[in-house]
């Protein structure tokens, strides 16, 4: 930051894989990256720009650097860690007999059966499908089992005015289940989500991993903590 009159030393841009997947028009702020960077570089020619993401392949990384941001590759330092999170348990199930309603019910019953009672009161279940319309189908089915007040939907079709309200309810443990597309995720850092389900064929492997990344933020694995816990991540790909 601008401390004691010193110029900014770095710009940090997180979740940069979104620029590769959806382009810079997905969020208005991304459209101003180039303009702000050039302005700040006039003030401080030594300015560094740091791009961060948990999911970007080397090929995609090169395309962003050389084509989107048009950087001299000789001036770019790449830092890559290929470690997969150790605090997540993954289960991938291909089931030709289930539709998305049945698959979401399987995940709900797994949650109800296996998440300890001491966590349930403050640990909502997240179920991700690929399409907004599938959110509606899953929510309609599970509301008939759980109750309308306990379930919310968050997708690209959710009005902007409702998104903050739903996020606040999620953070405050006022809902038991959130059915969401990848529109829900960026900037969400709730520490006590212990189970996430994915229903349907994901658009990319990155989307699946990003969705599962909402789980077990407070696992304790990143510290020397005796009470380490894992997140339970289940993907069910139904139909043919």
């Amino acid at each position: 930051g601008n401390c004691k009159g010193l110029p900014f030393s770095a710009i940090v841009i997180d979740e940069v894989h979104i620029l590769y997947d959806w382009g810079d028009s997905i969020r208005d702020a991304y459209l101003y990256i180039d303009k702000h960077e050039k302005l700040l570089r006039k003030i401080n020619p030594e300015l560094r720009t740091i791009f961060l993401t948990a999911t970007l392949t080397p090929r995609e990384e090169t395309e962003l650097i050389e084509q989107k941001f048009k950087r001299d590759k000789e001036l770019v330092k790449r830092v890559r860690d290929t470690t997969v999170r150790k605090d997540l348990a993954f289960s991938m199930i291909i089931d030709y007999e289930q539709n998305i309603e049945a698959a979401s019910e399987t995940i709900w019953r797994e949650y109800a059966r296996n998440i300890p009672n001491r966590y349930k009161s403050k640990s909502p279940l997240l179920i991700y499908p690929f399409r907004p319309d599938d959110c509606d189908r899953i929510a309609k089915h599970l509301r008939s089992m759980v109750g309308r007040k306990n379930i919310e939907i968050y997708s690209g079709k959710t009005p902007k005015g409702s998104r903050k309200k739903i996020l606040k309810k999620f953070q405050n443990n006022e809902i038991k289940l959130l059915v969401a597309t990848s529109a829900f995720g960026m900037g969400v850092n709730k520490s006590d989500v212990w189970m996430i389900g994915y229903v349907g064929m994901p658009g990319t492997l990155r989307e699946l991993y990003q969705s599962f990344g909402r789980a077990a933020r407070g696992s304790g694995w990143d510290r020397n903590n005796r009470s380490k816990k894992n997140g339970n991540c289940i993907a069910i790909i139904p139909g043919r």
Side-chain angles (χ1 to χ4, degrees), residues 1-2 7-16 19 29-53 69 71 77:
N2 194 347
F8 287 97
S9 60
I11 300 174
V12 181
I13 303 169
D14 199 9
E15 309 290 7
V16 74
L19 294 170
Y30 288 147
L31 296 170
Y32 298 103
I33 291 174
D34 187 56
K35 181 182 292 186
H36 289 327
E37 187 186 36
K38 287 179 178 177
L39 177 61
L40 291 172
R41 202 174 295 280
K42 286 182 179 179
I43 301 171
N44 179 14
E46 301 299 319
L47 181 80
R48 295 168 297 160
T49 302
I50 303 170
F51 300 114
L52 301 173
T53 177
F69 295 109
R71 302 303 162 98
K77 180 179 180 180

Side-chain angles (χ1 to χ4, degrees), residues 8 19 56 63 92 135-136 150 170 194 201 204:
F8 287 97
L19 294 170
L56 203 65
E63 288 184 25
M92 306 292 292
C135 288
D136 298 333
N150 293 316
F170 178 79
W194 299 110
M201 179 67 76
T204 62

Side-chain angles (χ1 to χ4, degrees), residues 193-224:
V193 175
W194 299 110
M195 185 168 172
I196 289 179
Y198 197 101
V199 174
M201 179 67 76
T204 62
L205 184 60
R206 167 173 32 253
E207 179 177 329
L208 186 65
Y209 189 69
Q210 282 282 345
S211 298
F212 285 159
R214 303 304 111 198
R217 292 296 184 102
S219 67
W221 277 73
D222 58 343
R223 303 179 299 276
N224 187 17

Side-chain angles (χ1 to χ4, degrees), residues 113-126:
R113 183 169 58 246
N114 289 327
I115 296 295
N117 288 330
R118 64 182 182 276
Y119 295 142
K120 282 179 183 172
S121 63
K122 58 179 181 179
S123 178
L125 170 64
L126 257 170

Side-chain angles (χ1 to χ4, degrees), residues 23-236:
D24 51 16
S25 62
I26 191 67
R27 287 202 168 180
D28 294 343
Y30 288 147
L31 296 170
Y32 298 103
I33 291 174
D34 187 56
K35 181 182 292 186
H36 289 327
E37 187 186 36
K38 287 179 178 177
L39 177 61
L40 291 172
R41 202 174 295 280
K42 286 182 179 179
I43 301 171
N44 179 14
E46 301 299 319
L47 181 80
R48 295 168 297 160
T49 302
I50 303 170
F51 300 114
L52 301 173
T53 177
T55 49
L56 203 65
T57 68
R59 177 181 60 81
E60 294 164 347
E61 179 183 282
T62 296
E63 288 184 25
L64 272 182
I65 291 170
E66 297 181 6
Q67 296 177 24
K68 168 61 183 171
F69 295 109
K70 296 180 174 57
R71 302 303 162 98
D72 184 345
K73 61 183 179 181
E74 302 300 326
L75 300 178
V76 174
K77 180 179 180 180
R78 306 189 189 206
V79 180
R80 177 172 290 272
D81 183 354
T82 57
T83 303
V84 175
R85 283 180 59 185
K86 297 178 181 180
D87 53 4
L88 300 179
F90 300 101
S91 299
M92 306 292 292
I93 302 166
I94 298 176
D95 191 333
Y96 294 144
E97 304 303 320
Q98 294 194 67
N99 58 21
I100 64 169
E101 286 88 353
S104 63
E105 184 175 332
T106 297
I107 291 170
W108 171 260
R109 294 190 185 281
E110 184 76 10
Y111 166 80
R113 183 169 58 246
N114 289 327
I115 296 295
N117 288 330
R118 64 182 182 276
Y119 295 142
K120 282 179 183 172
S121 63
K122 58 179 181 179
S123 178
L125 170 64
L126 257 170
I127 294 181
Y128 283 97
F130 180 58
R131 300 177 181 87
D133 289 347
D134 291 340
C135 288
D136 298 333
R137 288 176 58 186
I138 291 171
K140 181 179 179 180
H141 179 69
L142 292 182
R143 277 169 175 162
S144 67
M145 298 173 50
V146 182
R148 179 168 293 275
K149 291 183 179 180
N150 293 316
I151 297 176
E152 292 282 359
I153 296 172
Y154 192 112
S155 73
K157 297 196 305 182
T158 303
K160 287 187 177 181
S162 300
R163 294 188 181 193
K164 288 185 178 180
K165 294 179 182 178
I166 294 171
L167 177 58
K168 185 176 180 180
K169 289 175 69 175
F170 178 79
Q171 298 282 19
N172 293 340
N173 305 310
E174 295 175 15
I175 54 177
K176 183 61 66 178
L177 166 63
L178 182 64
V179 186
T181 62
S182 57
F184 183 84
M186 291 184 292
V188 177
N189 191 27
K190 184 169 171 56
S191 63
D192 50 11
V193 175
W194 299 110
M195 185 168 172
I196 289 179
Y198 197 101
V199 174
M201 179 67 76
T204 62
L205 184 60
R206 167 173 32 253
E207 179 177 329
L208 186 65
Y209 189 69
Q210 282 282 345
S211 298
F212 285 159
R214 303 304 111 198
R217 292 296 184 102
S219 67
W221 277 73
D222 58 343
R223 303 179 299 276
N224 187 17
N225 193 328
R226 292 183 179 180
S227 60
K228 295 177 181 177
K229 297 183 287 291
N230 278 1
N232 187 7
C233 302
I234 301 174
I236 300 180

